[in-house]
Amino acid sequence: MAFGASVPREIKLLSQPLQTVELNGVFDGYASLFGIADLGKDVVVPGAFRDCLAVRGVGNIRLLWQHDPAEPVGRWLSIEEDRRGLRVRGKLNLAVERARDIHALMRDGGVDGLSIGFRVERARAERPTGLRRLEKLDLWEISIVTFPMLPGARVETVKHAPPHLAETIRQTALRLFS
């Protein structure tokens, strides 16, 4: 079956590109949303990541490009469950060429999807709806992707780098002495 041949697609784009980004590569978003079915009919329930995050910790969950283990592009600064879903803050490693490419695409609004890579530890099927409720997950990685399985899993902001001291002084001097 060709991509999208028999499945209606809903496309959501950023209202404006994330043009405010500077050079540090830090971004925030939601990698998973609770109670919302993804395109594969999986629904993550609140608490599904709790045990994994307590055992694995943020440092042992990889930040990848398109779920490719050969394409690590940074690291996660924080991963936590809140009432809405799995809230993440990541930092692209801008010394890596692929991360610089992704950063440019994120700034321009071309890429903003997030997707989780996991192993199911406990789930239950709902026969009438065909949904699978994911109750306990072993989270291995979170990827920046072009097309997330959960359309609402997105990068929300890309943070500004703090201004360099020398540049701040230069700009201030120009304003004062011009």
Side-chain angles (χ1 to χ4, degrees):
M1 171 172 46
F3 177 73
S6 65
V7 178
R9 284 192 312 167
E10 179 179 334
I11 298 173
K12 295 182 181 181
L13 301 172
L14 291 173
S15 58
Q16 295 179 345
L18 299 170
Q19 295 175 348
T20 59
V21 67
E22 294 281 337
L23 297 177
N24 72 352
V26 174
F27 63 94
D28 295 301
Y30 279 90
S32 181
L33 300 171
F34 297 140
I36 299 173
D38 70 12
L39 298 176
K41 295 190 171 186
D42 283 340
V43 178
V44 177
V45 301
F49 301 102
R50 183 179 358 198
D51 292 346
C52 172
L53 292 174
V55 171
R56 194 178 292 273
V58 69
N60 291 311
I61 297 169
R62 302 294 172 234
L63 170 50
L64 303 178
W65 170 244
Q66 306 285 12
H67 297 292
D68 186 344
E71 294 269 10
V73 292
R75 64 185 174 91
W76 293 109
L77 303 174
S78 68
I79 303 173
E80 59 189 23
E81 287 192 9
D82 66 14
R83 292 187 315 172
R84 184 173 175 210
L86 190 65
R87 181 105 177 120
V88 296
R89 171 176 271 192
K91 184 173 191 321
L92 294 169
N93 181 342
L94 299 177
V96 175
E97 183 176 357
R98 172 68 76 196
R100 289 191 305 272
D101 293 344
I102 295 164
H103 191 240
L105 289 166
M106 288 169 85
R107 289 174 58 189
D108 194 44
V111 173
D112 68 345
L114 293 171
S115 183
I116 56 176
F118 57 90
R119 184 175 58 84
V120 176
E121 292 188 346
R122 187 174 63 241
R124 67 183 155 81
E126 292 183 355
R127 291 189 188 267
T129 63
L131 297 176
R132 181 172 70 153
R133 301 274 174 192
L134 304 176
E135 298 174 341
K136 186 175 181 183
L137 299 173
D138 183 16
L139 183 64
W140 291 22
E141 59 92 6
I142 304 168
S143 287
I144 299 168
V145 296
T146 309
F147 300 110
M149 195 71 154
L150 178 61
R154 301 284 174 177
V155 172
E156 293 182 342
T157 60
V158 183
K159 299 294 183 182
H160 288 282
H164 295 289
L165 180 58
E167 183 60 27
T168 302
I169 293 169
R170 192 174 7 266
Q171 293 297 325
T172 303
L174 282 172
R175 279 196 312 265
L176 290 173
F177 303 111
S178 294

